[in-house]
């Protein structure tokens, strides 16, 4: 087999099961890659090297004992640092939880371990998952492996960058307004937000409880589907978990046929404010879907233009309530406990010291939106917009099997470019928020590099609740057809950065003559 | 929608965040811009629209009341900022005058 860090999860799992390579070798190869590149990329907040090798050895022992292992047993994974794992600190990239080792595993973590997946460590994010660039991490930004001056998206920039830097073949992300899909889009990787309730939230540190959803991230559609199947399903520890079988996502990813599918292009998600290269690659992908046998129609979702404002009321409102638990009494940071301050004063001092600027901004905003006199105008109106957006989706899904749009209006922007302009930053989630508010299934798939900057473009697919398999059908069909055009996966263009040869050199640009025409 | 520095201070008190003067001064105009950009939700939120608080049609979920072991006390207190006699130790809750 080829180089281990360039091999996908499905192939690694098969090789480990066949005994061609050991889980320990695979894990060591990825740990070595982390050593080589993470000083530049900074995808990880914590690398659990010793524990990862232990986990891998256990898989090798189980295999040696004749046990039949699952398809991802022995495959390394990067876990977003917002899910609890007893073997490492869970910090949510906040000073508030610096060094906090949780006393229990999240259900997602437990399922990964049961499947024999090797957890390499915890990945960086915007503090408490609030942001679109991973610049809001209290431990410093993550860099995009395609161009280390650029953001890897957010909040799950660490998980997406780990994939693009070949530090792990699969990763777990969480998506509240686009935090799996937008990082996937700007790093040329696959990111899936399952239907709300499709994956347990037990042990996922809550940002906005009615929106948060964990999901799979990978470099290929099949790898994402295999991981989706591992983490999905009902959990009695989460009362909002859906008690139904996981949609047949792996079969859909293998099948990858869009013949006869009706695909709706959302009229409102395009036009002014969208980069030319994003629109170009999106339109080409849509044309390709038609060639592959899908029937493409234009649909109108008139209320999607109100999704972003509604989200930035609902999310901060839920956040201001959820983050009240960080009161310095039972876990995390405590400041000013010197005998001269009351519990309330200690709380206020701790929250001032422990939270970063964006978290404070959203807590204050949410407190305002929920305060008496403003509740009806802000939070109440936003909840009504949520209804209107769900109605738009319901109507569109009467005539379409899935909807598509660009995942995010631009390619990766430069680190620092939007740091002082919260409203500009929030617009990165323009296209991903409608599905978050509606709680349906959505994913981002790479569809090429924008000609103007050579950076990845993602196409978003949105499907009705519990029709997650449709995302994979479209994603797999696109992936197969595009890789035929390109002569290989999109990340082949990435090798200069990720091999650690000279990570500060700019990566291969789109106009480089050595590159395949179709991709550039 | 003007938001004064005093209003920000009042919100920070409600949210139990001891914001510095600089932070209050910085936040007031930022929040104003954000609030202006989100105010358009009121354009379409007419009386006839039912609000949605949650994407799933939720009903209460019941399970049988079975006794299960809870987390060990040591494990729970291991992450506490301060502990004493198997309990969380917290700063004084009542002031001198109470």
């Amino acid at each position: 087999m080829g180089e281990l860090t360039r091999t996908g999860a499905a192939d690694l799992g098969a090789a480990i099961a066949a005994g061609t390579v050991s889980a320990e070798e695979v894990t060591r190869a990825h740990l070595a890659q982390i050593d080589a590149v993470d000083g530049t990329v900074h995808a990880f907040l914590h690398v659990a090297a010793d524990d990862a090798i232990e986990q891998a050895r256990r898989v090798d022992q189980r295999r040696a004992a004749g046990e039949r292992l699952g398809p991802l047993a022995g495959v390394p994974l990067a876990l977003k640092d917002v899910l609890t794992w007893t073997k490492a600190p869970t910090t949510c990239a906040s000073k508030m939880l610096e060094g906090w080792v949780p006393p229990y595993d999240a259900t997602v973590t437990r399922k990964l371990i049961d499947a024999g997946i090797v957890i390499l460590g915890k990945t960086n994010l915007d503090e408490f998952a609030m942001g679109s660039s991973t610049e809001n991490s209290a431990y410093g930004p993550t860099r995009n492996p395609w161009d280390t001056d650029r953001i890897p998206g957010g909040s799950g920039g660490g998980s997406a960058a780990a994939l693009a830097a070949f530090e792990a073949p699969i990763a777990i992300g969480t998506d509240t307004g686009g935090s799996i899909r937008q990082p996937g889009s700007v790093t040329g990787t696959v990111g899936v937000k399952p239907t709300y309730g499709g994956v347990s939230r037990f042990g996922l540190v809550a940002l906005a409880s009615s929106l948060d959803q964990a999901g799979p991230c990978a470099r290929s559609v099949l790898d994402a589907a295999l991981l989706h199947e591992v983490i999905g399903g009902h959990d009695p520890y989460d009362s909002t978990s859906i008690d139904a079988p996981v949609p047949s996502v792996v079969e859909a990813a293998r099948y990858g046929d869009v013949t006869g599918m009706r695909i709706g292009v959302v009229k409102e998600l395009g036009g002014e404010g969208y980069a030319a290269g994003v629109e170009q690659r999106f339109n080409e992908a849509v044309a390709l879907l038609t060639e592959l046998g899908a029937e493409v129609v234009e649909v109108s979702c008139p209320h999607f233009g109100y999704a972003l404002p509604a989200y930035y009321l609902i999310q901060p409102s839920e956040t201001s309530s959820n983050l009240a638990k960080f009161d310095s009494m039972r876990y995390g940071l405590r400041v000013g406990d010197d005998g001269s301050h009351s519990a309330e004063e200690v709380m206020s001092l701790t929250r001032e010291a422990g939270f970063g600027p964006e978290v404070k901004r959203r807590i204050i905003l949410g407190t305002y939106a929920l305060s008496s006199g403003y509740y009806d105008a802000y939070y109440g109106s936003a909840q009504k917009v949520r209804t209107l957006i769900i109605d738009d989706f319901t109507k569109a899904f009467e005539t379409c099997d899935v909807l598509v749009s660009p995942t995010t209006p631009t390619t990766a922007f430069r680190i620092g470019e939007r740091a002082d302009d919260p409203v500009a930053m929030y617009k990165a989630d323009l296209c991903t928020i409608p599905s978050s508010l509606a709680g349906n299934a959505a994913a981002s798939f790479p569809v090429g590099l924008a000609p103007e900057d050579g950076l990845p473009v993602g196409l978003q697919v949105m499907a009705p609740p519990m029709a997650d398999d449709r995302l994979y059908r479209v994603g797999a069909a696109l992936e197969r057809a595009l890789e035929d055009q390109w002569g290989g996966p999109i990340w082949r263009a990435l090798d200069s950065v990720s091999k650690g040869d000279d990570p500060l050199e700019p990566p291969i640009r789109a106009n480089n003559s050595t590159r395949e025409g179709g991709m550039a | 929608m003007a938001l004064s520095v005093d209003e920000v201070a009042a919100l920070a008190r409600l949210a139990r965040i001891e914001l510095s003067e600089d932070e209050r001064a910085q936040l007031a105009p930022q929040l104003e811009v954000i609030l202006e950009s989100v105010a358009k939700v009121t354009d379409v939120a007419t009386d006839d629209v039912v609000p949605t608080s949650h994407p799933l049609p939720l009903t209460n979920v019941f399970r049988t009341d079975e006794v299960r072991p809870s987390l060990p006390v040591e494990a729970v207190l291991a992450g506490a900022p301060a502990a004493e006699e198997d309990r969380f130790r917290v700063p004084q809750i009542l002031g001198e005058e109470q």
Side-chain angles (χ1 to χ4, degrees), chain A residues 95 128 157 167 339 407 444:
Chain A
K95 292 288 177 193
F128 285 106
E167 295 170 298
T407 307
S444 177

Side-chain angles (χ1 to χ4, degrees), chain A residues 122 178 212 263 327 378 518:
Chain A
K122 308 293 288 287
D212 297 343
I263 296 178
D327 58 10
Y378 287 115

Side-chain angles (χ1 to χ4, degrees), chain A residues 334 337 343 352 360-361 387, chain B residues 15 23 30 50 52 89 92:
Chain A
R334 181 183 288 182
D337 184 12
E352 163 64 9
K360 289 175 186 169
R361 193 151 46 224
T387 305
Chain B
E23 284 178 307
Q30 278 179 346
V50 183
T52 298
R89 190 185 66 70
Q92 62 166 342

